[in-house]
Amino acid sequence: MNYEIIVVGGGHAGCEAALACSRKNHKTLLVTGNIKNIADMPCNPSIGGSAKGIVVREIDALGGEMGINADKSHLQIKMLNNTKGPAVQALRCQADKITYPKNMQTTLKKQKNLEIKESLVEDLIIENKKITGIILENGEKIYCNAVILTTGTYLKADIMVGDTRRREGPHGERPSQYLSDNLKKLGFKIIRLKTGTPQRIDKNSIDFSKTKPEYGDNIYHTFSFDTKPLYKIEDQVPCHLIYTTPLTHKIIKENLNKSSMYGGLNDIKGVGPRYCPSIEDKIVRFADKERHQLFLEPESLYYDDIYLQGFSTSMPHDIQEKMVHSLPGLENAKILKYAYAIEYDAIDSLQLKPSLETKIIENLYTAGQINGTSGYEEAACQGLIAGINAALKLENKEPLILKRNEAYIGVLIDDLITKGVRDPYRLLTSRAEYRLLLRHDNADLRLRKKGYEVGLIDEERYKKLLKKEQEINELIDILKNNKITPKEEINNYLLALNSTPIKDGISLYDLLKRPEIKIENINKFINVKYNKEVLEQVEINIKYEGYIKKANQEAEKMLELENKKIPSNIDYDQIHNLASEARQKLKEVKPTSIGQAIRISGVNPADISILMIYLKRGL
Amino acid sequence: MKDTITAISTALGVGAISIIRVSGDESINIVNKIFKGKNLNQVASHTINYGHIIDGDKIIDEVLVSIMKAPKTFTTEDIVEINCHGGIATTKKILELLLINGCRLADPGEFTKRAFLNGRIDLLEAEAIGDLINAKSEKSRNLAINQLSGTTSNMIKNLRQKILEVLANIEVNIDYPEYEDIFVMTNDIILPKIKEVEREITKIIKKSENGKIIKEGIKTVIIGKPNVGKSSLLNTLLEEEKAIVTDIAGTTRDIVEGQILIDGILIDLIDTAGIRKTEDVVEKIGVKKSYDLINKANLIIYMLNNNEELDQQDNEILDKIKEKNYIIIINKTDLPNKLNINNIKVDKNNIIQMSINNKIGIENLKNKIKNMFNLDLIEQEDYNFLTNARSLALLKEAKKIIPNIYKGINDNIPIDIVEIDIKKIWEILGEIIGETYQDELINQLFSQFCLGK
């Protein structure tokens, strides 16, 4: 049996990759260790969050599945940072860990051109530095034109609790034993990473009266630009907030030597994520903090597990019992699953092209945790891009490469291939230089056209975008062309809104620039009928016009440097004056442009100047 | 092959000799064509050769020619240096001959640029060498050396760190909004921090301007009506201080009449286009030209006649100079008083009574200059300022952003958007100390160097 594209792994990256390829009419095979675990959420039960929520919308704009699936499968949803500016708002939902994978599996099974096979992949078939197939654990060979590896944490996975270490993946699944060794033989640099997950507590054993409930928003939201809300506001399930106690801290401090991480046990080589430290790590590093916040998050309507967010640890079971029981409301809590740390192999993401194709093996793509990232959303967006680009490659088309000013996805991939990864990479708003441009509300305006061009957005959805764009422009023109004059009635209205009365005529456009004037207030002067998405875009564009302009100017400067291309055959050893660190980094990363070279750590401005002069002289 | 470049390497007209430098593959050949003496193509490297520069049969000057062959030279190319006799006419004539015979006039800083391109020096060195070459006094030499060692950037680094802490806090609020126990940055909290940043930047700019004074001197223009005593003042100052330079056009766009040192600081006395010849500057070149001079100068000395009444023109100029550093001299106090000092609408502290012919008041003037520019204080400083124009311009650009931040805060713009401006300041400061990169850096850097090293 031959396939055009094989996707290895059925996590969030694998699902998006498989769907993108098959939707683009390529015969696709998804190989996964356990079909039941496709689109599983082995860690936190949420989709979205700061920056990540914007990525989900970007995935949706490009024609990916995560947003649609999350809309079908959540327990509550809220807009984060809704008191802050539009650039940093993002949706987050508590996803149901039963229905989310189920819904995704249904979508995959219905998908034309897509087949699913249950097996582990242990080797790749390579001919002349080009991939031609995979070898399964039973020795079976399957041939294809392109492969996308989305192996998650399953490469040589080790689960660690206290002083025990077992070779297995999440849920006791079997990991891949040989694939990472085989990748190493092909020339990939293998790094070891580590992450962890906290305890699951039996809902019925928690005294919720000692906790503070955290509800979903009381207005409707959807991740997808196309779905209508499928839930009722009042049916949303709350999370609950608690804090660690002095006793918790005492227990942890007294038992630090028993933690895999702090006790020097287990010979841990993996590097853990900085942004998601274990509770013992937090207590050691922030010793002056009296308490730490923890969230009790429901995992599903269909079982009783509560996810204890913020309490991940690699302490042995008996200590975990004591720690959990020191928490308010959890005095008698029953631990259903203990916290554990997991160590796994990943490849060095510097060995990737911006298309997510590997530099070493043609037509081999990688996405998700194998590239050193962490998080469902980070994985999904890479899967989508790898899927699109593998398909485009087979179609002899240019890859889809998003720039840093176009999408968080662009920021993420550029960071991976330029800066590399030392600890599991999580997207943060602070990683985006032009985040005022990369808002959740304009993801469709930024990316839908590209989704349409690569063939994942259909005519109907594309026309919807064009209509929205047209209405935005219309409304802006209307506001520019309509003026109000200093009549008493108008000034009284302005005073009522705590705004200064006008002395001369002013366009509605300029009036809307005033911070206290909202777009709804404009209805007082002129009757316009547009939907709230259009009104929102117009308001943001007018209110923050100056800042958006500045961000665009900065982005243009960056693009100019991005357009200064570095030939792929450049020999850095011929450039005499480069600092040796810079030379080494440049040889490793092989930046495609000056813009990318600047972002490489260890390459300083003087090196860039030398490089630019070298290129200009055309030596 | 790169072309051969040439330039006059010494300040035009300064000192007894001038040096013309030639660099490039053809430099020895070209100089040989206009040189009468040994065949320069046959002399050893790093030798000095006596002879004459000729234009056809005509001898232009008696010279010493240094031959330095690649690669052990400043640019790593063949270099020839012609030591000739200082006059402007002679020097320019020799330069002209070189250009006729195949040299190209070097761009500003091009020798240093070549040295950099050929790997002789790194970028930071190049920048500091530029300052070192241009150093005009002992103090400024210290300043340039200091910059080489990198201590200049410490103040900026500290300031950057402070801003970074604010940025980090804003970012953490965005990325971890659910964490209630993290200190939330609000516009109210930001405000005093931005004020502090503004104070710091202002301080560094002030110090940098002091640094500029050390390096470039104080451009001083003396204006006043005919016969008020301008040239007498000039001559007296120059005589007293044993003038470094007289009568010769400088390398910059200003015509420097003379230079004196006060407390080790160079005071450039700028000729107001013929102050000596005509004695009637205000009349001849008009009020407008005076304003131009006023705008250019760091210090304006306006001279009044004790023996004459104030008129409309005086008032206009006095009004104009109030925005600058100024000193009003009332000269000829030995003559009967007709000038009512109360009618002069300026800070009375800035008025000095003088009788130049009787050498009265000269010391007062010098002390006044000293106090006005805090020359004592400058002396005590450790020279940790930004001294090159690029850095100072960037710092001023950063300062210009601060009002936008205040406006944003005032307009209740969300803090994560106000942050765009705060971050920009951080980036600009990074650019000054070379931690971020901008495309134009290299061009700006080299073009700010004086012509020909």
Side-chain angles (χ1 to χ4, degrees):
Chain A
M1 194 63 190
N2 276 13
Y3 296 90
E4 284 184 85
I5 300 167
I6 295 175
V7 178
V8 180
H12 303 282
C15 289
E16 295 291 352
L19 284 171
C21 295
S22 51
R23 283 169 176 170
K24 277 175 66 46
N25 294 317
H26 294 279
K27 203 164 159 41
T28 307
L29 176 71
L30 174 69
V31 185
T32 181
N34 187 340
I35 290 177
K36 273 183 290 186
N37 282 342
I38 284 177
D40 181 42
M41 310 175 87
C43 196
N44 62 319
S46 73
I47 301 274
S50 189
K52 291 158 167 272
I54 303 177
V55 168
V56 178
R57 294 211 127 193
E58 291 177 352
I59 291 171
D60 188 70
L62 288 168
E65 194 62 25
M66 181 173 249
I68 295 169
N69 204 59
D71 286 336
K72 290 178 194 166
S73 330
H74 61 71
L75 300 172
Q76 66 150 267
I77 184 162
K78 59 162 81 177
M79 185 67 78
L80 300 178
N81 288 327
N82 57 2
T83 57
K84 301 194 181 84
V88 297
Q89 291 176 8
L91 284 172
R92 188 182 61 197
C93 75
Q94 296 300 136
D96 189 309
K97 284 197 179 183
I98 296 291
T99 57
Y100 186 91
K102 276 235 150 55
N103 288 327
M104 186 63 90
Q105 287 164 23
T106 308
T107 304
L108 291 176
K109 282 173 191 159
K110 282 197 299 199
Q111 181 59 44
K112 208 176 70 178
N113 300 321
L114 177 61
E115 285 176 39
I116 303 172
K117 187 179 180 69
E118 195 170 83
S119 181
L120 288 183
V121 175
E122 293 291 9
D123 205 355
L124 306 172
I125 308 168
I126 311 291
E127 282 168 28
N128 295 327
K129 300 254 164 201
K130 192 168 180 174
I131 193 149
T132 56
I134 56 166
I135 303 174
L136 303 181
E137 53 184 336
N138 63 4
E140 187 190 340
K141 293 179 180 175
I142 309 177
Y143 292 92
C144 62
N145 304 112
V147 169
I148 303 168
L149 293 179
T150 65
T151 52
T153 59
Y154 282 83
L155 291 184
K156 284 194 176 177
D158 282 341
I159 296 260
M160 292 165 301
V161 184
D163 59 355
T164 67
R165 171 189 277 266
R166 286 194 313 277
R167 174 131 304 181
E168 64 178 32
H171 305 312
E173 293 289 338
R174 289 173 307 135
S176 164
Q177 290 281 22
Y178 306 108
L179 188 53
S180 68
D181 287 344
N182 288 328
L183 287 169
K184 199 171 183 176
K185 278 185 212 151
L186 291 171
F188 287 99
K189 214 169 117 193
I190 302 295
I191 58 172
R192 194 108 175 119
L193 297 174
K194 188 194 71 153
T195 188
T197 191
Q199 301 77 5
R200 313 301 200 270
I201 311 292
D202 187 343
K203 183 167 72 184
N204 305 306
S205 67
I206 299 173
D207 178 0
F208 285 101
S209 69
K210 294 182 181 169
T211 68
K212 184 182 159 233
E214 302 263 313
Y215 298 101
D217 282 353
N218 56 11
I219 51 169
Y220 284 106
H221 301 291
T222 59
F223 279 109
S224 172
F225 290 98
D226 306 307
T227 43
K228 297 266 168 285
L230 300 166
Y231 65 103
K232 287 195 182 125
I233 282 173
E234 60 273 22
D235 289 348
Q236 295 184 91
V237 183
C239 295
H240 291 85
L241 171 65
I242 56 170
Y243 294 94
T244 55
T245 63
L247 180 60
T248 322
H249 293 217
K250 185 164 170 275
I251 295 165
I252 290 169
K253 279 181 197 156
E254 281 171 3
N255 291 287
L256 271 182
N257 61 341
K258 292 181 186 160
S259 149
S260 310
M261 242 190 91
Y262 275 91
L265 304 166
N266 248 329
D267 186 28
I268 291 181
K269 290 194 190 74
V271 187
R274 275 170 300 176
Y275 51 84
C276 183
S278 66
I279 186 71
E280 48 264 39
D281 208 9
K282 288 189 224 173
I283 283 167
V284 172
R285 275 167 49 200
F286 306 101
D288 54 334
K289 263 193 106 168
E290 283 169 21
R291 58 180 200 175
H292 295 274
Q293 232 173 343
L294 304 172
F295 288 94
L296 303 171
E297 301 184 12
E299 291 208 337
S300 173
L301 286 181
Y302 304 96
Y303 62 92
D304 292 331
D305 290 32
I306 296 287
Y307 178 92
L308 186 50
Q309 201 232 79
F311 215 57
S312 85
T313 176
S314 54
M315 289 282 193
H317 292 177
D318 57 326
I319 308 299
Q320 288 195 34
E321 289 279 349
K322 286 186 193 165
M323 285 161 60
V324 167
H325 292 151
S326 72
L327 300 171
L330 276 72
E331 294 84 356
N332 301 306
K334 191 175 154 203
I335 302 178
L336 297 174
K337 273 185 214 130
Y338 290 96
Y340 62 85
I342 184 164
E343 210 181 65
Y344 55 97
D345 280 355
I347 64 163
D348 181 352
S349 58
L350 295 180
Q351 291 178 301
L352 297 175
K353 296 179 184 174
S355 60
L356 295 180
E357 187 181 12
T358 67
K359 288 175 183 166
I360 303 175
I361 306 294
E362 201 185 341
N363 288 2
L364 175 65
Y365 294 77
T366 58
Q369 277 168 310
I370 188 173
N371 290 345
T373 61
S374 148
Y376 311 141
E377 305 80 358
E378 285 88 342
C381 73
Q382 290 173 66
L384 177 64
I385 297 294
I388 289 172
N389 285 333
L392 288 171
K393 179 92 188 276
L394 298 186
E395 295 160 18
N396 283 319
K397 289 181 184 154
E398 286 297 306
L400 173 67
I401 294 164
L402 300 173
K403 300 190 188 82
R404 297 183 76 89
N405 63 324
E406 288 175 334
Y408 270 93
I409 300 173
V411 173
L412 181 148
I413 293 174
D414 185 65
D415 280 350
L416 287 183
I417 64 164
T418 305
K419 294 175 180 165
V421 156
R422 290 174 66 184
D423 63 324
Y425 178 101
R426 185 199 144 154
L427 256 184
L428 300 164
T429 56
S430 44
R431 297 196 196 265
E433 301 88 336
Y434 318 107
R435 64 175 182 230
L436 186 54
L437 307 178
L438 308 183
R439 305 188 307 269
H440 87 101
D441 60 81
N442 69 355
D444 55 342
L445 298 165
R446 289 186 275 129
L447 300 172
R448 263 247 139 136
K449 186 156 182 271
K450 292 182 195 288
Y452 175 71
E453 283 162 357
V454 299
L456 291 180
I457 294 292
D458 58 24
E459 281 299 329
E460 189 196 335
R461 286 192 282 174
Y462 184 54
K463 277 185 186 146
K464 205 173 120 189
L465 169 78
L466 294 180
K467 181 167 174 264
K468 184 175 172 182
E469 283 177 343
Q470 188 204 338
E471 288 183 350
I472 291 168
N473 292 332
E474 253 172 40
L475 180 53
I476 286 179
D477 281 345
I478 291 173
L479 295 176
K480 277 185 176 162
N481 295 330
N482 281 281
K483 287 195 171 191
I484 52 169
T485 48
K487 288 183 197 141
E488 197 183 345
E489 186 204 348
I490 284 172
N491 275 338
N492 283 343
Y493 180 67
L494 291 176
L495 282 169
L497 294 171
N498 280 326
S499 196
T500 346
I502 52 170
K503 286 187 194 122
D504 304 302
I506 177 174
S507 71
L508 293 175
Y509 188 93
D510 287 333
L511 185 71
L512 196 54
K513 281 196 180 302
R514 295 184 174 188
E516 65 281 359
I517 304 292
K518 304 275 172 268
I519 188 119
E520 302 87 75
N521 303 134
I522 299 297
N523 278 324
K524 174 87 181 170
F525 311 112
I526 186 169
N527 199 10
V528 285
K529 287 271 175 280
Y530 290 99
N531 65 31
K532 81 174 197 315
E533 284 77 28
V534 170
L535 294 177
E536 185 187 25
Q537 285 311 305
V538 170
E539 179 165 30
I540 291 170
N541 278 316
I542 295 176
K543 274 224 158 23
Y544 303 111
E545 189 184 28
Y547 290 96
I548 291 173
K549 212 164 144 190
K550 267 183 234 171
N552 272 320
Q553 281 167 354
E554 291 294 313
E556 260 157 44
K557 270 193 216 162
M558 180 265 306
L559 290 180
E560 236 169 72
L561 295 170
E562 225 60 42
N563 288 334
K564 291 192 200 301
K565 297 293 176 203
I566 301 175
S568 57
N569 61 357
I570 190 168
D571 180 359
Y572 289 105
D573 287 328
Q574 293 301 313
I575 309 173
H576 299 301
N577 312 307
L578 288 174
S580 60
E581 191 196 357
R583 187 193 310 275
Q584 191 232 321
K585 282 284 179 65
L586 287 165
K587 282 163 86 173
E588 201 177 349
V589 178
K590 300 190 182 71
T592 54
S593 69
I594 291 289
Q596 192 192 348
I598 287 166
R599 293 191 290 272
I600 301 171
S601 57
V603 177
N604 64 37
D607 298 312
I608 294 293
S609 307
I610 289 162
L611 181 57
M612 283 180 66
I613 289 161
Y614 178 84
L615 290 173
K616 264 187 203 157
R617 283 200 294 183
L619 288 176
Chain B
M1 193 178 70
K2 275 191 311 217
D3 48 4
T4 298
I5 54 171
T6 186
I8 301 167
S9 290
T10 41
L12 211 54
V14 175
I17 56 163
S18 291
I19 299 174
I20 301 163
R21 173 181 278 180
V22 188
S23 178
D25 296 347
E26 284 296 301
S27 50
I28 298 174
N29 268 338
I30 292 171
V31 176
N32 207 28
K33 286 190 220 166
I34 58 165
F35 180 75
K36 196 179 166 192
K38 284 183 196 164
N39 183 345
L40 296 175
N41 274 315
Q42 285 165 14
V43 303
S45 181
H46 293 79
T47 56
I48 297 172
N49 305 280
Y50 170 82
H52 293 89
I53 294 293
I54 47 167
D55 179 10
D57 296 335
K58 206 169 126 199
I59 289 175
I60 304 298
D61 199 5
E62 182 186 35
V63 294
L64 290 170
V65 174
S66 309
I67 299 292
M68 290 161 280
K69 290 182 186 167
K72 285 187 178 172
T73 68
F74 179 64
T75 56
T76 76
E77 302 167 340
D78 284 348
I79 286 184
V80 180
E81 284 181 357
I82 303 169
N83 288 251
C84 62
H85 294 95
I88 296 172
T90 312
T91 315
K92 282 196 167 160
K93 179 69 194 170
I94 296 172
L95 184 70
E96 201 182 299
L97 285 171
L98 288 167
L99 296 176
I100 290 167
N101 282 283
C103 286
R104 174 172 68 73
L105 190 64
D107 291 334
E110 198 172 359
F111 289 101
T112 315
K113 190 171 179 175
R114 285 193 174 189
F116 166 68
L117 286 176
N118 295 329
R120 267 281 277 125
I121 54 171
D122 72 21
L123 200 61
L124 291 176
E125 259 183 295
E127 199 163 7
I129 282 173
D131 284 342
L132 199 56
I133 295 159
N134 291 333
K136 286 183 184 161
S137 64
E138 196 57 41
K139 273 183 186 175
S140 65
R141 222 155 300 153
N142 291 341
L143 187 58
I145 289 163
N146 229 321
Q147 179 145 8
L148 264 178
S149 73
T151 47
T152 311
S153 57
N154 275 344
M155 280 161 103
I156 305 272
K157 274 189 184 150
N158 290 340
L159 183 55
R160 243 179 141 236
Q161 185 56 33
K162 275 183 202 163
I163 300 172
L164 190 62
E165 283 161 17
V166 174
L167 292 175
N169 204 328
I170 296 173
E171 302 280 342
V172 84
N173 292 155
I174 297 165
D175 277 319
Y176 296 91
E178 69 273 33
Y179 280 76
E180 293 171 346
D181 46 354
I182 292 174
F183 183 69
V184 176
M185 271 287 167
T186 60
N187 281 341
D188 290 345
I189 299 167
I190 292 277
L191 194 59
K193 291 187 187 287
I194 297 304
K195 290 211 162 123
E196 194 189 329
V197 169
E198 185 179 25
R199 272 197 302 275
E200 285 286 309
I201 291 181
T202 310
K203 195 167 113 192
I204 299 173
I205 289 175
K206 177 73 201 152
K207 281 173 178 288
S208 304
E209 277 170 348
N210 285 347
K212 225 176 134 186
I213 285 173
I214 295 178
K215 206 170 66 153
E216 294 175 4
I218 300 169
K219 286 200 190 71
T220 306
V221 55
I222 305 170
I223 49 179
K225 292 221 183 85
N227 296 319
V228 73
K230 296 188 293 292
S231 59
S232 308
L233 174 65
L234 193 65
N235 288 334
T236 309
L237 285 172
L238 292 180
E239 248 167 60
E240 285 233 334
E241 295 298 331
K242 296 194 178 54
I244 305 167
V245 185
T246 54
D247 252 353
I248 290 170
T251 50
T252 53
R253 54 262 147 227
D254 299 314
I255 310 298
V256 177
E257 186 72 13
Q259 295 174 313
I260 59 169
L261 287 171
I262 297 179
D263 264 24
I265 298 293
L266 198 67
I267 313 290
D268 275 335
L269 300 166
I270 300 170
D271 185 354
T272 56
I275 202 168
R276 297 175 143 187
K277 285 168 226 132
T278 62
E279 279 286 319
D280 54 359
V281 174
V282 175
E283 228 166 74
K284 272 236 162 141
I285 63 178
V287 177
K288 192 192 164 290
K289 176 72 182 170
S290 303
Y291 286 176
D292 286 348
L293 287 166
I294 288 167
N295 284 336
K296 264 195 217 165
N298 305 115
L299 171 64
I300 295 118
I301 296 178
Y302 190 60
M303 295 186 74
L304 292 168
N305 189 341
N306 182 50
N307 192 231
E308 280 174 21
E309 283 177 43
L310 218 58
D311 67 13
Q312 179 57 27
Q313 200 178 56
D314 290 323
N315 280 326
E316 267 174 40
I317 291 177
L318 285 170
D319 200 48
K320 183 75 188 169
I321 63 177
K322 269 194 275 193
E323 297 152 23
K324 306 275 293 188
N325 292 308
Y326 65 89
I327 295 171
I328 308 296
I329 290 178
I330 301 175
N331 193 24
K332 307 193 185 182
T333 48
D334 47 325
L335 297 179
N337 177 282
K338 287 186 188 165
L339 184 76
N340 184 350
I341 197 162
N342 293 323
N343 290 342
I344 309 173
K345 301 276 184 290
V346 296
D347 184 351
K348 298 286 182 286
N349 288 323
N350 287 358
I351 297 176
I352 295 171
Q353 307 266 357
M354 283 180 109
S355 171
I356 295 167
N357 289 341
N358 299 314
K359 307 241 185 284
I360 295 168
I362 301 287
E363 276 313 303
N364 286 348
L365 175 63
K366 284 196 237 164
N367 283 332
K368 185 71 218 169
I369 295 173
K370 209 161 133 178
N371 293 336
M372 187 169 272
F373 290 91
N374 291 319
L375 298 187
D376 292 342
L377 229 64
I378 288 175
E379 198 164 32
Q380 288 151 18
E381 293 284 352
D382 58 357
Y383 309 120
N384 279 338
F385 332 115
L386 293 168
T387 60
N388 64 63
R390 179 181 69 92
S391 305
L392 194 55
L394 281 170
L395 203 60
K396 286 180 176 171
E397 192 187 321
K399 195 183 170 186
K400 267 202 284 190
I401 295 170
I402 288 176
N404 297 346
I405 300 176
Y406 291 146
K407 185 175 184 308
I409 291 174
N410 207 26
D411 284 352
N412 260 321
I413 298 285
I415 192 153
D416 51 275
I417 292 181
V418 174
E419 194 205 4
I420 290 175
D421 284 325
I422 304 176
K423 205 183 241 167
K424 181 75 194 171
I425 293 182
W426 181 72
E427 278 166 8
I428 291 174
L429 295 179
E431 202 177 313
I432 294 173
I433 56 174
E435 285 185 8
T436 51
Y437 180 81
Q438 270 209 329
D439 195 8
E440 310 84 42
L441 171 67
I442 195 156
N443 294 332
Q444 269 183 20
L445 186 71
F446 285 116
S447 62
Q448 93 184 44
F449 286 166
C450 80
L451 187 69
K453 194 176 174 182

